[in-house]
Structures are given as structure tokens and as C-alpha cells.
């Protein structure tokens, strides 16, 4: 445990993280096709063909970022102070969020590519792994197995989705979407424990 004078107030990190998540989640839409690429009076088919391949990854990435923002906020509330190592690990986690618009843009444009799908999946796995390690450190010595299970589930799910992307990139998003069950798992575990 760090000495009290080596502790960092996580509310400062919380302000930075809110900004980073907000900007990264907004930039996810940057790679959407521009209207100038459409005909003067596009029909529904042209709109769907132009936007659908980009909107699905955008929605997936936005929801994933939102779930990790929620997890990050809960973690900072549970551990309002931390040492330098945890602060630097949090900054690495935030860096992985900043890069999300770039990998999302690649995946939105080239999601049939095995290499791009695997890269995107590995990026999601890194985000989830950093989040899980931060939860492990925040709950050190406490018996919050339900919270830890909810933190580690996305790591497993993203790894499975990434392995699927190697052989069938089109199926990977279905696996990645299962990571949204993590907050539900934590919620139901807490309810069962409190009952």
C-alpha cells in the first residue's frame, strides 16, 4: 500500500477520463461516409449500402466504450485514491480508449478483412484486460467476486470473438456483443448475494 502522501486523488483522473471517453465516443462517427458521396436523391437501397457497414461497427464501439466508461466510473468511486502505478495503468487504459476511433474506422471500412477484424478484436481485448486488471487492483483484499467476474467476462468474450475473426470475420461481432452481458452478470450476482 502506498504511503498517504504518495496517493493520488482519483477525482482528478475521473475528470480527465470523462473528457477522453466523450471525445473518443464522438470521434467514432468521424469515419461515417459523407453525404457528398451519394446521388442527388438517394433511394433506401443506396442509403443502406452506403451507411449500414459503418453504422453497425460504430454502434458496437459506442456501446462498448459506454460500458467501459460505466465500469471506470464505478471503479474510481470504489477506490477514490491510488498510487502512481495504478494511475499510470489508468492512463494506459485511457490511451486504449483514445485509439478506439482509429480501429473502429478500420473495421467499419474493412470488416470483411480477417487481419482488420483480428486487430479490432485484439484492441477490444486489450481494453477489457486493462479494465479487469484495474478492477483487480481496486478490489485487492476484498471479496467482490461478482464484480471481478463481471470485469473478466469481457476479456474472455473478446478473446473468443477474436479467435472467431481468424476463421469467420463476419461472425466475430456476434461474440463481441456478448460482452454486454458483463454488467448484467454483476447485477444478478449482487442481487443474489443480497437476498
Amino acid at each position: 500500500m502506498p504511503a498517504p502522501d504518495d496517493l493520488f486523488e482519483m477525482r482528478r483522473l475521473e475528470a480527465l477520463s470523462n473528457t477522453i471517453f466523450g471525445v473518443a465516443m464522438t470521434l467514432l462517427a468521424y469515419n461515417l461516409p459523407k453525404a457528398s458521396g451519394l446521388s442527388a436523391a438517394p433511394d433506401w437501397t443506396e442509403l443502406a449500402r452506403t451507411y449500414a457497414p459503418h453504422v453497425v461497427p460504430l454502434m458496437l464501439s459506442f456501446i462498448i466504450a459506454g460500458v467501459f466508461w460505466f465500469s471506470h466510473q464505478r471503479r474510481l468511486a470504489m477506490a477514490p485514491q491510488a498510487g502512481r502505478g495504478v494511475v499510470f495503468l489508468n492512463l494506459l487504459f485511457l490511451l486504449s480508449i483514445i485509439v478506439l476511433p482509429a480501429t473502429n474506422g478500420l473495421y467499419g471500412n474493412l470488416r470483411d478483412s480477417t487481419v482488420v477484424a483480428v486487430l479490432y478484436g485484439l484492441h477490444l481485448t486489450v481494453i477489457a484486460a486493462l479494465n479487469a486488471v484495474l478492477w483487480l487492483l481496486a478490489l485487492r483484499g476484498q471479496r467482490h467476486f461478482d464484480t471481478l467476474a463481471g470485469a473478466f467476462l469481457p476479456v474472455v468474450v473478446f478473446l473468443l470473438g477474436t479467435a472467431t475473426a481468424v476463421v469467420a470475420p463476419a461472425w466475430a461481432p456476434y461474440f463481441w456483443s456478448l460482452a454486454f452481458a458483463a454488467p448484467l452478470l454483476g447485477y444478478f450476482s449482487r442481487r443474489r448475494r443480497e437476498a
Side-chain angles (χ1 to χ4, degrees), residues 91-114:
L91 289 173
L92 249 159
F93 171 74
L94 293 174
L95 175 62
S96 72
I97 296 298
I98 287 172
V99 179
L100 189 57
T103 56
N104 176 72
L106 266 174
Y107 185 64
N109 287 314
L110 304 165
R111 69 178 169 172
D112 291 333
S113 163
T114 300

Side-chain angles (χ1 to χ4, degrees), residues 92-179:
L92 249 159
F93 171 74
L94 293 174
L95 175 62
S96 72
I97 296 298
I98 287 172
V99 179
L100 189 57
T103 56
N104 176 72
L106 266 174
Y107 185 64
N109 287 314
L110 304 165
R111 69 178 169 172
D112 291 333
S113 163
T114 300
V115 172
V116 170
V118 168
L119 175 68
Y120 182 70
L122 288 174
H123 184 201
L124 296 179
T125 305
V126 166
I127 293 171
L130 287 168
N131 183 61
V133 169
L134 285 165
W135 268 111
L136 199 59
L137 293 171
L139 298 175
R140 213 177 346 205
Q142 301 177 37
R143 295 184 175 267
H144 289 281
F145 300 115
D146 53 340
T147 304
L148 288 175
F152 279 92
L153 176 66
V155 178
V156 173
V157 168
F158 290 144
L159 278 174
L160 287 173
T162 304
T164 302
V166 171
V167 292
W171 286 94
Y174 298 108
F175 282 93
W176 294 328
S177 298
L178 295 174

Side-chain angles (χ1 to χ4, degrees), residues 3 6 9 21 24 28 35 43 61 64-65 74 78 84 100 102 108 110 117 124 127 144 165 172 175 178 184:
D6 286 338
E9 288 183 52
F21 271 95
L28 290 172
D43 59 12
S61 294
I64 288 170
R74 283 186 49 237
M78 288 185 81
R84 285 189 180 128
L100 189 57
L110 304 165
L124 296 179
I127 293 171
H144 289 281
F175 282 93
L178 295 174
L184 293 174

